[in-house]
Amino acid sequence: MATLVGTFFHSHGGSTSMPPDLWREQRLRRPIRDDVPIEDDEANAEKAARTHEGFRVLREKVAELEADVLVVFSDDQQECFDFNNFPGFAIFVGERFTKSTRRRGGPDARQAGRHAELGFAFNGHPELATALLTGVMKRGFDPAFCMDMPKPDRGLASGVIRTAEELTDFSLPIVPVMMNLYFAPQVTGIRSYQFGRAVREAIDEMPGGLRVGVVASGGLWHTPGMPGAWLNKEFDHRTLECLKVGDARGMAEHFDSYVIPAGDTSQDTGRRARNVTGMPSLGGPALGTRETCAWIAAAAVTEGRPTTIVDYVDVYASPVGNAFAYCDQP
Ligand SMILES: [Fe+2]
C-alpha cells in the first residue's frame, strides 16, 4: 500500500516572489481600500523573511518525511485552460510538465525566493496520477485529465510550479491537480472536502510502497487587482483554527457560509472582464480567496489529525494572508 507521509499547506501569490522593497510601491499603485495599512520597507522585509522561512520549514519537512512524490492541489489561472473550456477538477497524468517561458513582470524582473529557469521541466508521476484519477472516479468524481500542456509557452499552473520550486529539489515527482478556484462559479468548500476524502481513499488503496505527500498551494484571503481590495484576517484565522485541530469539514462549512457584504467591490464577479467570467460565485468568498479550497481538500486528506500552523503573515501589498502549515501525523 502507498503511504501518506503528510500534508503541507502554503500560499503562492505574488508577494512570495516579489522582493519586499517593491511591496510599498505596489500597495500605493493598486486600487486597495483606504484603511489597509501602508507599511515601510523594514516591516515588509520582516514579513518577506517570515514568508520565506515558512517555505523553508515545509521544504525541510518534505525531505525529513522522505516523500517520493507530492500531489499538489492548486488552480489553473489560464495557463492550460481558458474560458473556451474550464474544468472544475483536472489531473495531470503526463511524464513531465514545464514552467512558463515568460517571466512575470518582464524578462528582467527581480525575484525573491527559489525559482527554476524559465521553461524548466519538472517530473510528473503518471502511475500515481492515473491511480488518483481512477480512484476518485470510483468515488463519484469525473475530473478532466491532461497528458500535455496546450499552451507550451504558458507551461503548467504557476501555483503548482511554485510548490515544485519552494518545497522540492526540482527533481521530486509531482502530480498536479488543478481545481477551478478562481473563475466563478468555482468549486465549493464542501465539494473540495469530499474530493480530498476521495483522494485519501485512492492513496490508501494504491498498491506498492510509494510515500506520498499532499500539498495545498494557494490562498489565503486575496483579491488581487480588484478595486477596494482588503484583508479579512478574521476569516483566515477561523480557517486556521479549524485546520489546527484537523476539522476539515469545519473549514468547508466556514468557507461556504461566508456571505459577501453588499457593496464589497473587491469580490464583485458580476461583470465580465479579462479575468472575470461575469457569472455568479456560489456561497463563500470569491476570486483568489477561493484557493482556500485547496487547503480544505488537503485538510480532508488528513482529517482529524493535528496540524502545525507555521505562520500567518498579513501582507498589505496585494493584500494577502500568506500562510504555512503541515501535518506530519497522517
Ligand atoms: Fe493563486
Side-chain angles (χ1 to χ4, degrees):
M1 285 234 310
T3 303
L4 179 75
V5 301
T7 45
F8 310 87
F9 306 79
H10 70 82
S11 301
H12 68 212
S15 59
T16 71
S17 297
M18 181 185 283
D21 55 296
L22 302 178
W23 290 10
R24 185 178 155 85
E25 184 191 320
Q26 168 159 302
R27 164 68 189 83
L28 294 169
R29 188 168 18 94
R30 284 196 162 178
I32 290 167
R33 211 168 74 180
D34 286 346
D35 61 345
V36 173
I38 299 169
E39 296 191 306
D40 61 20
D41 285 355
E42 195 181 336
N44 288 333
E46 186 257 337
K47 290 186 175 185
R50 283 168 55 198
T51 297
H52 296 293
E53 173 64 9
F55 279 128
R56 188 195 64 78
V57 170
L58 265 55
R59 182 164 60 247
E60 291 194 352
K61 210 26 119 170
V62 166
E64 178 194 318
L65 295 171
E66 299 181 330
D68 297 320
V69 55
L70 296 178
V71 176
V72 180
F73 299 146
S74 193
D75 58 344
D76 182 279
Q77 291 180 22
Q78 304 189 67
E79 289 94 345
C80 288
F81 312 126
D82 53 38
F83 294 163
N84 291 322
N85 187 5
F86 214 103
F89 294 91
I91 300 179
F92 183 84
V93 298
E95 295 273 357
R96 320 254 292 161
F97 60 90
T98 59
K99 175 171 171 162
S100 169
T101 58
R102 294 188 275 174
R103 175 160 292 169
R104 219 178 175 162
D108 301 323
R110 287 190 290 126
Q111 289 183 309
R114 291 159 56 94
H115 294 275
E117 292 296 313
L118 297 176
F120 187 88
F122 292 96
N123 295 312
H125 198 294
E127 186 191 0
L128 175 60
T130 304
L132 292 186
L133 176 65
T134 54
V136 299
M137 286 176 78
K138 284 192 273 179
R139 293 169 174 85
F141 285 86
D142 304 287
F145 64 81
C146 317
M147 290 187 163
D148 212 337
M149 294 153 292
K151 302 179 241 179
D153 61 320
R154 296 294 305 272
L156 200 84
S158 68
V160 174
I161 300 294
R162 290 298 291 134
T163 301
E165 291 177 324
E166 293 287 0
L167 265 54
T168 82
D169 61 357
F170 296 12
S171 71
L172 189 69
I174 285 179
V175 176
V177 178
M178 280 76 75
M179 302 160 66
N180 175 16
L181 302 180
Y182 213 97
F183 306 108
Q186 311 99 313
V187 296
T188 63
I190 194 67
R191 190 66 171 154
S192 304
Y193 166 81
Q194 292 162 346
F195 185 75
R197 293 304 305 156
V199 166
R200 174 62 190 262
E201 290 178 20
I203 292 170
D204 284 348
E205 75 175 6
M206 186 183 173
L210 205 59
R211 293 176 63 80
V212 181
V214 176
V215 183
S217 172
L220 292 175
W221 189 281
H222 65 306
T223 59
M226 292 299 283
W230 58 296
L231 178 57
N232 190 339
K233 289 195 277 189
E234 290 69 32
F235 184 88
D236 285 349
H237 285 142
R238 177 71 195 138
T239 296
L240 295 175
E241 276 169 25
C242 292
L243 177 62
K244 191 174 177 185
V245 296
D247 184 6
R249 184 177 274 275
M251 290 169 79
E253 287 166 358
H254 167 58
F255 191 91
D256 289 340
S257 63
Y258 174 84
V259 177
I260 297 172
D264 183 354
T265 52
S266 73
Q267 301 188 75
D268 179 9
T269 61
R271 257 183 307 150
R272 175 87 167 82
R274 192 173 66 85
N275 276 334
V276 182
T277 61
M279 290 186 279
S281 213
L282 294 163
L287 296 152
T289 309
R290 203 86 188 187
E291 291 175 349
T292 302
C293 287
W295 287 54
I296 294 169
V301 170
T302 40
E303 185 179 29
R305 309 303 300 162
T307 301
T308 301
I309 310 301
V310 176
D311 206 349
Y312 177 83
V313 189
D314 49 345
V315 172
Y316 299 113
S318 178
V320 57
N322 283 340
F324 303 87
Y326 65 84
C327 170
D328 58 358
Q329 302 170 55

